Amino acid sequence: MLSIGLLGCGRIGRVHADSIATNPRAHLARVYDPFEQAASAVGARFGAQTTTDVDDIIGDPGIDAVVIASPTPTHIDLLTAAVEAGKAVLCEKPIDLDVALVDACAQRIDDLAGRVMLGFNRRFDPSFADIHARVAAGQLGPLEQLTIISRDPAPPPAAYVATSGGLFKDMTIHDFDMARFFLGDVVEVTATGSNLVSPEIEAAGDIDGAVVVLRGVNGAVATIINSRRAAFGYDQRLEAFGELGMLRAENQLPTSVTFSGATSTQVAPPYYNFFLDRYTPAYRAELDAFITGVEAGTGFSPSFADGRAALVLAQAADESVRTGATVAVPGPDLDAPVTP
Amino acid sequence: MLSIGLLGCGRIGRVHADSIATNPRAHLARVYDPFEQAASAVGARFGAQTTTDVDDIIGDPGIDAVVIASPTPTHIDLLTAAVEAGKAVLCEKPIDLDVALVDACAQRIDDLAGRVMLGFNRRFDPSFADIHARVAAGQLGPLEQLTIISRDPAPPPAAYVATSGGLFKDMTIHDFDMARFFLGDVVEVTATGSNLVSPEIEAAGDIDGAVVVLRGVNGAVATIINSRRAAFGYDQRLEAFGELGMLRAENQLPTSVTFSGATSTQVAPPYYNFFLDRYTPAYRAELDAFITGVEAGTGFSPSFADGRAALVLAQAADESVRTGATVAVPGPDLDAPVTP
Amino acid sequence: MLSIGLLGCGRIGRVHADSIATNPRAHLARVYDPFEQAASAVGARFGAQTTTDVDDIIGDPGIDAVVIASPTPTHIDLLTAAVEAGKAVLCEKPIDLDVALVDACAQRIDDLAGRVMLGFNRRFDPSFADIHARVAAGQLGPLEQLTIISRDPAPPPAAYVATSGGLFKDMTIHDFDMARFFLGDVVEVTATGSNLVSPEIEAAGDIDGAVVVLRGVNGAVATIINSRRAAFGYDQRLEAFGELGMLRAENQLPTSVTFSGATSTQVAPPYYNFFLDRYTPAYRAELDAFITGVEAGTGFSPSFADGRAALVLAQAADESVRTGATVAVPGPDLDAPVTP
Amino acid sequence: MLSIGLLGCGRIGRVHADSIATNPRAHLARVYDPFEQAASAVGARFGAQTTTDVDDIIGDPGIDAVVIASPTPTHIDLLTAAVEAGKAVLCEKPIDLDVALVDACAQRIDDLAGRVMLGFNRRFDPSFADIHARVAAGQLGPLEQLTIISRDPAPPPAAYVATSGGLFKDMTIHDFDMARFFLGDVVEVTATGSNLVSPEIEAAGDIDGAVVVLRGVNGAVATIINSRRAAFGYDQRLEAFGELGMLRAENQLPTSVTFSGATSTQVAPPYYNFFLDRYTPAYRAELDAFITGVEAGTGFSPSFADGRAALVLAQAADESVRTGATVAVPGPDLDAPVTP
């Protein structure tokens, strides 16, 4: 049984608390949040101790690992402290909005790869993971084109947008990681942004839609299509294409029921509304992979370096939108992801 | 080029006129209908001569074949006259409502199998024909269960019901033939009727829904589910099941468009409304098979005997509904259908 | 927190243990099995005490409820003892193979409806439950036709068949309950059996395929199609049809991935293999409904009477297969189910 | 009846011959091809006169209209001669590979819009046309994102590539027109090319895959994904996305049959192999629209100007691939397409 402390009891923190509570190899020892009420609510729901002092978790030798689900600006400090206290760490994305701070963190901590796992949960989605495994096994031949359609159901509040780092670092970062999961290192980024959804987002200086084209080191091309709003729910699809065929993951439905009536046929229920519903199995599988990684002691995937690499792509996409030109991505990544 | 005369210019007659006109191996020489207006309308549309005297077609040595699309009570007389005049005949179902008259006709005409094809168009539906071919080729192993769902979009007028011979002889007869197409000879019929759709049909002494279970000579079991009304359009589906798997033919849609909106996802357009839309390719393929049969001179499938056999099953189903008991089907058929 | 004891640690017992362990309102206090190893395995997996003496659970005042997952012949004795000891009971189907024993049990226990819930888990399948709710809400108008396709992936061992009570009491009983869930009381049963799958089953005097037609008290007709074997996995589908349209629940897939290659398109993964995969959410929802029923004290659905009624239909189907005639179902049920 | 002459009896010429022959408002008077055998084969198949002298058609006052299906370099000369001879013209895409020649042609001929229709047949595909009509009717609100996936089944011969004008002018040109059909005038093109399919194409200096991002005058963004090869057949899909939802057109299948077996479920047949199968209804509807345009005398859509505009986008895409930068599209189009 891995004893886990949870840092942050907001929406995503509760998702992790649930994953920990339902995993037979994990025990949710203690939860932290600066707001006592938030910590108490999660503690009571899952039978864990609570604290508003992060040292009660990081300093507790009985706790083996921490899950960092606090606001982005706190990630690096908490991550550094936890690793230095000997904990294994599962940290939510992004590591930080500033690549320089990320690099400074990497320099301070030896062997990050062995101690920090990044929370790119979508790698653990059963459908995306299945496609990745089949591509890796050669079912398509070498991957040639990857298409990721990723639309949120509704734009976030303006206040959130202001501190989010922008669409690419906040939302597309998942898709950048997914592209790297399939393509390996990315060498070229071409991005187009648009403001068609929310005047508040435009006023905050951010875009609310994008198309990003990435070229991987082996020549494969990934296309990411984003929007901050989709009337029909969370739009999360992926297609991998190669010489031998195509693998597609469609959106998912809560039931298999369809209705046929006088004006239409085969009306399915709405898609899952958002990530809490759609990616519950992915979050649980992510935690399970984290526990396995801790037990095996062989490092994590996705790693801290994967977190940095996705951030670098987000930065390149911002530059491409600004300049209207393709941006070459500098140098090799800190460590290479598993390339199909 | 096969020169063809059309007997009957009603709804189904116009379907055949279209099949003849678009077939490069056929020429629509002349069309007959007792109502001059009906004949003229079809003649003008397809560039054919018209007549209100059936002998202008049956007695014309320049006409090679006739398609009989007139009311059921006229079928046997026209069929007999046409065969005796040396024509090949494609006759709409049912041959007649009375098996005794059908048998008398068969006794009068030698070699019916070589000269008369029955208009069970659904055997030529590309999807059903594909399943039949794959079952015949052994893709499922021996056929074990067949499920036919067959629902009309709306009940016919009460006047039509009165002379239709009842649900089994009028509507289910297509499904009886489809069952025989897959099962070969049927040895046992168990039928259940219901009156849930139309008070007029009940008043006319007929049923408007049914479930019929047929056992074939090799033990396979077919289930037919009928209704005289389906809000969502023409419901025409078939599933074949055997040791190695299942083949399914779904309803068909006029486009591949789906809509996803705020309250639902993947809303497809309505199904084809009725047989004129759904079975156009089947009617065309049927005529083509008829022409091939005439040219090859090797007989037709489905044959006159297939028409009789379906009628016998309809009669058995009527008896089963009346008695609440399974009915054994007498003796071997006149000639056996091709059995998968 | 409801403290629950589990009686029986076989395959279905482990399913219930998992449902109890993951339900935040339940605590798995103790598990019983006459085989110590079986009890220990489940106890260790879910952190529960174990016993080979059933009285350690039924006689324990700290245990509020029991789940009976032992072999069918033990159901009535355990159920009676548990109810008399003041426990709420969730009992697996069937209650017993003998209606007379079931009736004797009912006479002995007052207020069965308030204390015993029957384990017809499929009522809690999210898709079937959704259709039931929409039919009850009138989306189809009055229900006219119900089609249930229910095929197991592979036949059970011959030894199991010998004591199973036959296809109708062992396998179809779930479908009989589903028919009653939608139709209310059933007044008429017409059944056809076949032996196409397993010579061992035929040797044991049982059938391995069936088509059953049921007429409900309001005239609606249900068709059940069964087979003991389906090459492609567990085949569990349902269609409800009425004046305003149709609701369909399709088989379910573990991922949304499809593959398109040179010889075919849109190849989906296999269906769920069997009930452990397909109905996990249903078993969890069933337990949740049981807990709610205990807490509310307002009785259970499905009830003991529902268990009896399904058994009566199985018996009628056996008779119909034997006699080749429709069987009228006697009298009103002990208590009526909720009818849409 | 419109009397039509066909110029060019190659693969696409035969498609037009079939459309003309099956259209009740058209008569295929004469077909031209410099190769007598090609002309004869088409003439015999469709009962038309033949010639190897183009003036036999263009100079024949009895012929009302011509369809130009000859090699691209001949288009402008034939089109000019035909219009000057008073014929209505349906001309295959592209008009020419050189925009300057296209402009010179436009200057020479007055009122091109009224006399020349461009053969962008996909506008008439029933599914794409249905989506366009529904977008135009406001079902999505203002269009925000359009995704076009367009992959050929197999790369063309190297000899064809050499004279094709390159991927964008030869293949993507259909997609550029489709983008303009939905977005109206395009103001910005960003293109990425790749060579992953065919070494011969690379040796010929062309690309065999591309992702093109287009921004329309109203801000909507279209993404086109191309490949010269798809193992699973002709990949032709389109998605329109707006505030109120999404409309999708999927690939199409020749039957509705699926097979479920031991290793997979729901295996559909292959997609249509190529445009001859997939777009037959579109070609027929295109010809019908052409005839209607001739009869109404109100001009054609898509027009000569639409043909030029698609060519300009192809040119801009070539430049974007070469420079790695977004290319602004000059000025207003000659005449504006119908904008949804």
Side-chain angles (χ1 to χ4, degrees), chain C residues 137-226:
Chain C
Q139 190 173 7
L140 302 182
L143 184 67
E144 295 172 0
Q145 297 182 323
L146 183 77
T147 307
I148 298 170
I149 294 179
S150 173
R151 297 180 175 118
D152 280 355
Y160 177 90
V161 171
T163 64
S164 69
L167 183 88
F168 291 132
K169 288 184 181 169
D170 178 57
M171 175 180 167
T172 321
I173 197 152
H174 276 296
D175 308 309
F176 288 130
D177 182 65
M178 188 58 65
R180 291 186 66 256
F181 189 41
F182 278 89
L183 266 59
D185 285 340
V186 168
V187 298
E188 209 180 279
V189 178
T190 313
T192 305
S194 58
N195 286 96
L196 297 165
V197 171
S198 159
E200 288 80 9
I201 291 178
E202 187 164 18
D206 195 6
I207 53 178
D208 52 31
V211 181
V212 186
V213 182
L214 308 163
R215 196 187 305 271
V217 68
N218 297 321
V221 174
T223 305
I224 298 167
I225 298 175
N226 284 155

Side-chain angles (χ1 to χ4, degrees), chain B residues 2-339:
Chain B
L2 196 72
S3 180
I4 300 180
L6 174 66
L7 309 183
C9 292
R11 187 169 60 171
I12 189 67
R14 286 194 296 272
V15 170
H16 288 294
D18 174 83
S19 295
I20 298 166
T22 58
N23 191 303
R25 295 192 290 159
H27 169 65
L28 182 61
R30 195 181 284 253
V31 302
Y32 154 82
D33 199 280
F35 298 98
E36 189 166 8
Q37 262 190 323
S40 298
V42 172
R45 172 75 184 81
F46 295 101
Q49 291 183 289
T50 65
T51 180
T52 58
D53 180 353
V54 76
D55 291 331
D56 287 346
I57 289 176
I58 288 178
D60 181 345
I63 291 180
D64 307 309
V66 300
V67 173
I68 299 179
S70 54
T72 299
T74 68
H75 285 181
I76 284 185
D77 283 352
L78 292 176
L79 181 156
T80 305
V83 169
E84 289 181 346
K87 313 291 187 218
V89 174
L90 171 58
C91 181
E92 265 303 315
K93 59 89 216 170
I95 307 177
D96 195 276
L97 300 179
D98 184 339
V99 175
L101 292 179
V102 171
D103 287 343
C105 174
Q107 282 172 339
R108 178 163 168 182
I109 304 179
D110 291 345
D111 186 25
L112 270 169
R115 299 157 86 185
V116 179
M117 178 166 166
L118 247 288
F120 289 125
N121 61 295
R122 293 182 196 174
R123 292 195 184 200
F124 300 94
D125 175 74
S127 294
F128 298 162
D130 180 54
I131 293 183
H132 187 267
R134 290 159 80 169
V135 170
Q139 189 173 8
L140 301 182
L143 184 68
E144 294 172 0
Q145 296 182 324
L146 184 77
T147 308
I148 298 170
I149 294 178
S150 173
R151 296 180 176 120
D152 280 354
Y160 176 90
V161 171
T163 64
S164 69
L167 182 88
F168 291 133
K169 287 183 182 168
D170 178 57
M171 176 180 168
T172 321
I173 198 153
H174 276 295
D175 308 308
F176 288 131
D177 182 65
M178 188 57 66
R180 290 185 66 256
F181 189 41
F182 279 89
L183 267 59
D185 285 338
V186 167
V187 297
E188 209 180 280
V189 177
T190 314
T192 307
S194 57
N195 286 96
L196 297 164
V197 170
S198 157
E200 288 80 8
I201 290 178
E202 188 165 18
D206 196 7
I207 53 178
D208 53 30
V211 181
V212 186
V213 182
L214 306 165
R215 197 188 305 269
V217 67
N218 296 322
V221 174
T223 306
I224 298 167
I225 298 175
N226 284 155
S227 173
R228 277 290 194 185
R229 180 254 297 122
F232 46 87
Y234 200 29
D235 195 8
Q236 296 285 298
R237 291 176 280 154
L238 184 149
E239 292 187 15
F241 174 86
E243 182 176 1
L244 305 179
M246 174 166 62
L247 285 158
R248 301 173 70 180
E250 259 299 322
N251 280 318
Q252 292 170 9
L253 295 160
T255 72
S256 67
V257 176
T258 57
F259 171 68
S260 301
T263 56
S264 61
T265 55
Q266 303 177 328
V267 183
Y271 293 132
Y272 285 121
N273 181 258
F274 207 7
F275 66 95
L276 301 180
D277 301 310
R278 162 65 190 260
Y279 286 124
T280 296
Y283 280 110
R284 292 185 179 174
E286 177 188 67
L287 187 87
D288 208 65
F290 176 64
I291 294 171
T292 297
V294 173
E295 289 177 351
T298 53
F300 298 106
S301 172
S303 66
F304 186 92
D306 290 322
R308 180 191 184 275
L311 196 64
V312 167
L313 296 183
Q315 208 161 258
D318 276 324
E319 183 185 336
S320 178
V321 165
R322 210 169 50 240
T323 62
T326 296
V327 173
V329 178
D333 290 349
L334 287 188
D335 64 5
V338 179
T339 310

Side-chain angles (χ1 to χ4, degrees), chain D residues 63-78:
Chain D
I63 291 179
D64 306 309
V66 300
V67 173
I68 300 178
S70 54
T72 300
T74 69
H75 285 181
I76 284 185
D77 283 353
L78 292 175

Side-chain angles (χ1 to χ4, degrees), chain D residues 81-259:
Chain D
V83 169
E84 290 181 345
K87 313 292 186 217
V89 175
L90 171 58
C91 181
E92 265 302 315
K93 60 88 217 172
I95 306 176
D96 194 275
L97 300 179
D98 184 340
V99 176
L101 293 180
V102 171
D103 288 344
C105 174
Q107 283 171 337
R108 179 162 168 183
I109 304 179
D110 290 345
D111 186 23
L112 271 169
R115 299 158 86 185
V116 179
M117 178 165 166
L118 247 288
F120 289 124
N121 61 296
R122 294 182 195 173
R123 291 195 184 199
F124 301 94
D125 174 75
S127 294
F128 298 162
D130 179 55
I131 293 184
H132 187 267
R134 290 159 78 169
V135 170
Q139 188 173 8
L140 302 182
L143 184 67
E144 294 173 1
Q145 297 182 324
L146 183 77
T147 307
I148 299 170
I149 294 179
S150 173
R151 296 179 176 120
D152 280 354
Y160 176 90
V161 171
T163 65
S164 69
L167 183 88
F168 291 132
K169 288 184 182 168
D170 177 59
M171 175 179 168
T172 321
I173 197 152
H174 277 295
D175 308 310
F176 287 130
D177 181 66
M178 188 59 66
R180 290 185 67 257
F181 189 41
F182 278 89
L183 267 58
D185 285 340
V186 167
V187 297
E188 209 180 280
V189 178
T190 313
T192 307
S194 58
N195 286 95
L196 296 165
V197 170
S198 157
E200 288 80 8
I201 291 178
E202 187 164 20
D206 196 7
I207 53 177
D208 52 31
V211 181
V212 186
V213 182
L214 307 164
R215 196 188 306 270
V217 68
N218 296 322
V221 174
T223 305
I224 298 168
I225 298 175
N226 284 155
S227 174
R228 277 288 195 185
R229 179 254 298 121
F232 46 86
Y234 200 28
D235 195 8
Q236 297 285 297
R237 291 176 281 156
L238 184 149
E239 293 187 14
F241 175 86
E243 182 177 1
L244 306 180
M246 175 167 61
L247 284 159
R248 300 173 71 180
E250 259 298 322
N251 280 317
Q252 293 170 8
L253 295 159
T255 71
S256 67
V257 176
T258 56
F259 170 67

Side-chain angles (χ1 to χ4, degrees), chain A residues 113-295:
Chain A
R115 299 158 86 186
V116 179
M117 178 165 166
L118 246 288
F120 289 125
N121 61 296
R122 294 183 196 174
R123 292 194 184 200
F124 300 95
D125 174 75
S127 293
F128 299 162
D130 179 55
I131 293 184
H132 187 266
R134 289 160 79 169
V135 170
Q139 189 173 8
L140 302 181
L143 184 67
E144 295 172 0
Q145 296 183 325
L146 183 77
T147 308
I148 298 170
I149 294 179
S150 173
R151 296 180 175 119
D152 281 354
Y160 176 91
V161 171
T163 65
S164 69
L167 182 88
F168 291 132
K169 288 184 181 168
D170 178 56
M171 176 180 167
T172 321
I173 198 152
H174 276 295
D175 308 309
F176 288 130
D177 181 67
M178 188 59 65
R180 291 186 67 257
F181 189 41
F182 278 90
L183 267 59
D185 285 340
V186 166
V187 297
E188 209 180 280
V189 178
T190 313
T192 307
S194 58
N195 286 96
L196 297 165
V197 169
S198 158
E200 287 81 7
I201 291 178
E202 188 164 21
D206 195 7
I207 53 178
D208 52 31
V211 181
V212 186
V213 182
L214 307 165
R215 197 188 304 270
V217 68
N218 296 321
V221 174
T223 305
I224 298 167
I225 298 175
N226 285 156
S227 174
R228 277 289 195 187
R229 179 254 297 122
F232 47 87
Y234 200 28
D235 195 9
Q236 295 286 297
R237 290 175 281 154
L238 184 149
E239 292 187 14
F241 175 86
E243 183 177 359
L244 305 179
M246 174 166 62
L247 285 158
R248 301 173 69 179
E250 259 299 321
N251 280 319
Q252 293 171 7
L253 296 160
T255 71
S256 66
V257 176
T258 56
F259 171 69
S260 301
T263 56
S264 61
T265 55
Q266 303 176 329
V267 182
Y271 292 132
Y272 285 122
N273 182 258
F274 208 7
F275 67 95
L276 301 179
D277 302 309
R278 161 67 190 260
Y279 286 124
T280 297
Y283 280 110
R284 291 185 179 174
E286 176 188 67
L287 187 87
D288 208 66
F290 175 64
I291 295 170
T292 298
V294 173
E295 290 177 350

Side-chain angles (χ1 to χ4, degrees), chain C residues 297-319:
Chain C
T298 52
F300 298 106
S301 173
S303 66
F304 186 93
D306 289 323
R308 180 192 183 275
L311 196 64
V312 167
L313 296 184
Q315 210 161 257
D318 277 324
E319 184 185 336

